[in-house]
């Protein structure tokens, strides 16, 4: 299935940072992918990441989304269990 423009933006920014070996913060994703500042108790990025995880799993991709506590998210190769 096709990803929404927001999910494409989230994936693009997460992949760019992960390619540098770094996670991407939620704040960065809100600004760069959604074009707005994160609001208190806003879970929009979390919901999009949940959907992205499901789609990656359904497509049997080796790439997965890892949570980086107090930092954000990172795309990682499931063969590299670097959590």
């Amino acid at each position: 299935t096709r990803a929404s423009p927001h999910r494409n933006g989230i994936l693009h920014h997460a992949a760019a940072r992960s390619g540098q070996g770094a996670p991407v913060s939620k704040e960065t994703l809100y600004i760069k992918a959604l074009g707005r500042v994160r609001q208190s108790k806003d879970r929009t990025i979390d919901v999009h990441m949940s959907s992205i995880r499901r789609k990656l799993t359904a497509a049997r991709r080796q790439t997965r989304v890892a949570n980086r506590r107090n930092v954000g998210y990172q795309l990682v190769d499931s063969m590299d269990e670097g959590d």
Side-chain angles (χ1 to χ4, degrees), residues 19-33:
Q20 300 168 4
V24 62
S25 71
K26 287 183 183 182
E27 288 74 17
T28 297
L29 291 174
Y30 273 94
I31 292 167
K32 300 225 177 198

Side-chain angles (χ1 to χ4, degrees), residues 11-64:
L11 278 171
H12 170 79
H13 292 291
R17 293 288 295 169
S18 294
Q20 300 168 4
V24 62
S25 71
K26 287 183 183 182
E27 288 74 17
T28 297
L29 291 174
Y30 273 94
I31 292 167
K32 300 225 177 198
L34 303 181
R36 63 183 173 89
V37 178
R38 182 181 181 194
Q39 301 296 313
S40 175
K41 300 183 181 186
D42 189 344
R43 308 271 305 167
T44 303
I45 292 295
D46 300 315
V47 171
H48 283 302
M49 282 299 194
S50 177
S51 175
I52 289 167
R53 281 188 175 109
R54 281 193 310 274
K55 288 180 182 204
L56 289 172
T57 299
R60 298 179 187 242
R61 300 285 183 173
Q62 286 187 339
T63 302
R64 66 182 183 85

